[in-house]
Amino acid sequence: MLRKSLSFAAAFAALSFASACVLGHELDENRATLALRDKTHISITLYLAYTDALHLALAPQQPMDEFLVTRSAMKPEELQRELLRAQAKFQAATHVFLSVAHGSPGRELAITNWAWPEVKQVQYMIQSRIMQAVVDPNGHAHDVPVEIRADANSTQEIESVTVLFPEEFRRVLVVSFRPKQVWAEPKGLSPEIKF
């Protein structure tokens, strides 16, 4: 137990130093992809700097290094409770609206089928970020973007939408498209695929 406490103390000290060095860096860009699957269904895929969003949602007043160390030491069931609290906040603050005249928001679409990362993945990501700071205290510790999925559904045909994301996601680069599909048969060249 003492060894574990000492290793967390060392990680905390390294993170304190590292966080002072990276205050000038911006967060990695968060992205959202909206794919119109059919006339009434949009698939939403978010790629987020998830640890940063969790920090802003759960303990914005707490220094990042302290936030990471305390979350990395939590039992999985304790961290799961924290994640569920943040996810509920994120889901409540995410909105997709049908557009009406000139892009102004109209009726809100129902967002369902949220798929969030599992607690083990998040805890590993937090521990990896601590290790990045320990190994390279002068570097910019960051996460690999985490993929989050959801669906937005409408009772009427979707021509255009506007979106609102949680403040904790910061700026979000939105990419939208309507997929084109063709079958590629075995032992045969597919039809021409145009972009």
Side-chain angles (χ1 to χ4, degrees), residues 79-90:
L79 183 58
Q80 180 66 28
R81 283 192 292 276
E82 290 276 283
L83 295 178
L84 290 174
R85 192 164 57 99
Q87 291 163 9
K89 186 174 186 177
F90 296 153

Side-chain angles (χ1 to χ4, degrees), residues 100-177:
V100 290
H102 305 293
S104 57
R107 192 175 59 76
E108 185 170 358
L109 304 183
I111 303 177
T112 59
N113 302 326
W114 286 94
W116 296 94
E118 294 188 17
V119 67
K120 286 181 182 181
Q121 179 187 356
V122 175
Q123 197 153 42
Y124 176 78
M125 182 174 38
I126 291 169
Q127 292 167 349
S128 295
R129 186 143 168 192
I130 291 170
M131 292 313 298
Q132 286 178 34
V134 169
V135 171
D136 185 9
N138 296 320
H140 173 58
H142 63 280
D143 303 325
V144 172
V146 169
E147 184 178 302
I148 297 157
R149 294 182 171 275
D151 295 303
N153 296 289
S154 175
T155 55
Q156 64 190 80
E157 189 170 329
I158 299 171
E159 292 184 18
S160 62
V161 296
T162 54
V163 294
L164 177 64
F165 292 112
E167 188 178 333
E168 294 84 0
F169 292 0
R170 309 249 178 162
R171 278 179 68 180
V172 178
L173 175 65
V174 180
V175 176
S176 60
F177 65 96

Side-chain angles (χ1 to χ4, degrees), residues 34-56:
L34 306 179
L36 185 63
R37 295 293 175 191
D38 61 40
K39 294 178 181 184
T40 61
H41 173 216
I42 296 174
S43 292
I44 302 168
T45 307
L46 295 160
Y47 300 95
L48 299 178
Y50 196 50
T51 304
D52 295 308
L54 289 173
H55 175 236
L56 292 172

Side-chain angles (χ1 to χ4, degrees), residues 51 54-55 58-59 62-72:
T51 304
L54 289 173
H55 175 236
L58 296 172
Q62 190 177 35
M64 177 60 111
D65 52 359
E66 188 179 317
F67 173 82
L68 293 171
V69 170
T70 56
R71 289 344 180 257
S72 73

